[in-house]
Amino acid sequence: MRKFLLVVLVLLVVGLVAADRIGVRVAQNEIGKQVAQQYNLSRQPDVTIHGIPFLTQAVGGNYDQIDVGIGDWTQQGVTVHDVKVEMHGVDAPLDQVAGGNADNVTARTATASAVIPFDVLKSRAPKEVKGIRAKGDNLEVDMAGQVLAFNVNGTAELSVKPSRKGIAITPVKVTTSGVSVPLDTVRDRLTWYVPITDLPVGSRISQIQVTDQGLKVSAEADNVKLSRLQQPTR
């Protein structure tokens, strides 16, 4: 009898674990479908619900962390890659979610990140810019041509900062034929903007990191209602 009860308990635990994993997969798939529909995405995003057990979180309507991998995102004609949204402290009442209502689903904090590749930066750059790469916290570009009275056949180092116009790319050092060019004379001509200001959490880009793949940008927001996530402007 004791052996029988032990077997039953083991099977019960296995069944609960299986139900938990099946439940999380179903929930992840449903969230992915709703996000794809809301944003008219060409593919369903990858969704990961963290925390074990999932069923306890679902019944309580509180989730530790939910990650959504959107992929490509277009705003003002600029397409960025590898867009991810990481949400913490998600409040999602079970009865409303089960009814397909996301109006009151709220994340305590949400962080969105994306990568703006170098070719996108170059497409917005002045015609004298021929190549872009990372240089520490800044960018370095190869230049060829003429800016005002200067032949700029050399390199320039540029800073990157978020602004109301988008990502501001501004020269901090310009060198041609080994000689430094006075910045005041060429700064305006060699400054450009990439017109992306916000990410899906609805907040302005606040952090920019230069990487070997391009610019990794991020935005953070508090008390984000999922039904009010910003729609992309194409």
Side-chain angles (χ1 to χ4, degrees), residues 2-197:
R2 291 177 60 186
K3 185 176 181 181
F4 173 76
L5 290 175
L6 179 61
V7 171
V8 170
L9 289 173
V10 170
L11 291 175
L12 180 60
V13 170
V14 171
L16 288 174
V17 170
D20 188 84
R21 293 300 87 194
I22 292 172
V24 74
R25 286 197 294 272
V26 170
Q28 289 173 166
N29 184 61
E30 187 59 33
I31 291 173
K33 286 181 180 178
Q34 292 187 17
V35 172
Q37 183 177 7
Q38 181 178 354
Y39 290 97
N40 296 318
L41 301 178
S42 59
R43 71 172 186 86
Q44 184 170 316
D46 299 321
V47 177
T48 302
I49 299 175
H50 297 269
I52 296 176
F54 162 76
L55 292 178
T56 300
Q57 296 185 92
V59 172
N62 299 111
Y63 301 83
D64 295 333
Q65 179 179 343
I66 299 177
D67 297 341
V68 180
I70 294 176
D72 290 349
W73 173 269
T74 300
Q75 183 187 97
Q76 299 294 332
V78 177
T79 299
V80 298
H81 303 321
D82 198 24
V83 177
K84 298 176 182 177
V85 179
E86 182 179 299
M87 297 174 288
H88 292 269
V90 179
D91 183 15
L94 180 61
D95 57 340
Q96 296 187 29
V97 174
N101 181 7
D103 289 347
N104 293 318
V105 176
T106 305
R108 185 178 66 250
T109 62
T111 301
S113 62
V115 174
I116 307 176
F118 289 131
D119 60 345
V120 171
L121 303 182
K122 186 175 180 298
S123 69
R124 301 278 173 168
K127 63 181 181 179
E128 293 82 12
V129 173
K130 304 303 180 183
I132 304 179
R133 56 189 169 274
K135 185 179 182 181
D137 293 333
N138 291 334
L139 298 173
E140 185 175 62
V141 301
D142 298 318
M143 297 183 303
Q146 186 169 350
V147 177
L148 301 177
F150 295 94
N151 289 318
V152 285
N153 295 303
T155 61
E157 186 174 342
L158 306 100
S159 65
V160 289
K161 294 181 180 179
S163 75
R164 291 185 177 276
K165 293 182 179 180
I167 307 300
I169 303 174
T170 308
V172 296
K173 182 179 181 181
V174 178
T175 303
T176 179
S177 301
V179 179
S180 294
V181 176
L183 281 177
D184 289 343
T185 60
V186 297
R187 182 182 288 111
D188 289 345
R189 177 67 178 271
L190 295 178
T191 294
W192 77 92
Y193 295 86
V194 179
I196 179 169
T197 57

